[in-house]
Amino acid sequence: MNSIIARPWDEELHPTQCRTTTAPRTVGRLQPACGAQLAEPDGALSGELPDVRTLEHLLGLQQRLQDLLDPVGPAMTPCVGWLIPAADYFADLRALLGLVFLSWPVARPFAATAALAEALDHDAEQRHARATVLRGSPGKKRSSRPYTDPPLDPLLMGAVLGIAERLLDADDEEQARERMLPLIHQASDVDYALSFYLRRKAWISFPLRIVATNHVAHMAPMHKIIARGPIPKGGRERFPEPSRASGLIRASRQEPRDWISA
């Protein structure tokens, strides 16, 4: 049984130190803990703070996600032009995280600032290198983990979630497909099985599945695939979950966000 406290057996860590394991997961090897002193957050900062624009983006992203996690927050949220349950939106973010790393650097232009793109350049390079080593190792490969393990560094996590958010923030399915197809094609070239796994039916929402699992050459027009309902008023207000008979409800369009391509 897993303990609610990480690494309860690690006597070298003070109770106020972070117990998160920082290194990539491997079999049969003890990995170091973060060890940051949580009781002194100001003294635990290393390096320089992000530039103002990057910091503003990360704080805004954090606030938007916290709003969705609020128990009294919106039950539905826009996703590729449709309203879906907030829980499904987080599943889509999680799946796109792996797709972003697997397809890097094709996803690079979607980074909100140059600083975030540069940070992901270095992290993605390490992930690709780890996956290459695992593919050449005997036994069970586990080569998907370098791409699917979430970053532990908050800057990197904010960077990749920001890209995933922008991909899902498309006005409609056509725009979402235009944004995602280059990533899907690159990911399929790197690891076809993993690329398909990240887009499997059980993981992502229905509208994202329609966008991400169909090839353009063999795809019928969107209006013939999905039964569209009336456009509701109120943006991110609470809506009842649509029934299967009625289909999904289109989300009202939002003002486009100001993004910077690195």
Side-chain angles (χ1 to χ4, degrees), residues 137-220:
S137 62
K140 193 170 183 178
K141 306 301 183 182
R142 302 180 186 273
S143 58
S144 65
R145 285 183 172 177
Y147 300 117
T148 59
D149 281 351
L152 295 175
D153 184 284
L155 180 74
L156 293 172
M157 190 65 178
V160 70
L161 285 180
I163 292 176
E165 182 191 50
R166 187 184 182 189
L167 294 172
L168 297 178
D169 197 39
D171 291 335
D172 51 38
E173 305 94 334
E174 303 297 339
Q175 187 182 68
R177 187 194 302 160
E178 181 180 351
R179 292 178 180 180
M180 293 186 199
L181 273 181
L183 278 68
I184 294 170
H185 291 161
Q186 175 65 17
S188 297
D189 289 341
V190 175
D191 190 327
Y192 178 80
L194 178 57
S195 171
F196 188 80
Y197 177 80
L198 291 171
R199 296 175 284 127
R200 71 194 190 281
K201 179 179 179 180
W203 196 343
I204 58 178
S205 68
F206 177 72
L208 181 58
R209 187 165 72 250
I210 292 297
V211 171
T213 60
N214 291 274
H215 296 289
V216 175
H218 307 289
M219 191 170 186

Side-chain angles (χ1 to χ4, degrees), residues 54-156:
T54 296
L55 189 59
E56 288 178 348
H57 164 73
L58 293 175
L59 291 175
L61 172 65
Q62 177 177 275
Q63 186 60 59
R64 291 190 292 275
L65 296 182
Q66 285 181 338
D67 289 344
L68 290 177
L69 290 170
D70 192 315
V72 296
M76 311 289 283
T77 190
C79 174
V80 299
W82 293 77
L83 284 178
I84 65 171
D88 290 353
Y89 182 80
F90 281 97
D92 288 350
L93 288 177
R94 182 67 180 86
L96 288 181
L97 181 151
L99 186 64
V100 166
F101 283 124
L102 185 59
S103 66
W104 198 265
V106 176
R108 195 179 195 278
F110 294 103
T113 70
L116 294 175
E118 291 169 3
L120 287 174
D121 281 339
H122 179 66
D123 189 58
E125 182 180 2
Q126 292 182 328
R127 288 171 180 265
H128 283 296
R130 291 202 304 271
T132 300
V133 171
L134 288 172
R135 290 192 196 101
S137 62
K140 193 170 183 178
K141 306 301 183 182
R142 302 180 186 273
S143 58
S144 65
R145 285 183 172 177
Y147 300 117
T148 59
D149 281 351
L152 295 175
D153 184 284
L155 180 74
L156 293 172

Side-chain angles (χ1 to χ4, degrees), residues 23-45:
R25 290 177 291 180
T26 57
V27 178
R29 181 179 300 177
L30 181 62
Q31 302 298 331
C34 170
Q37 182 51 258
L38 302 178
E40 302 174 3
D42 292 338
L45 293 176

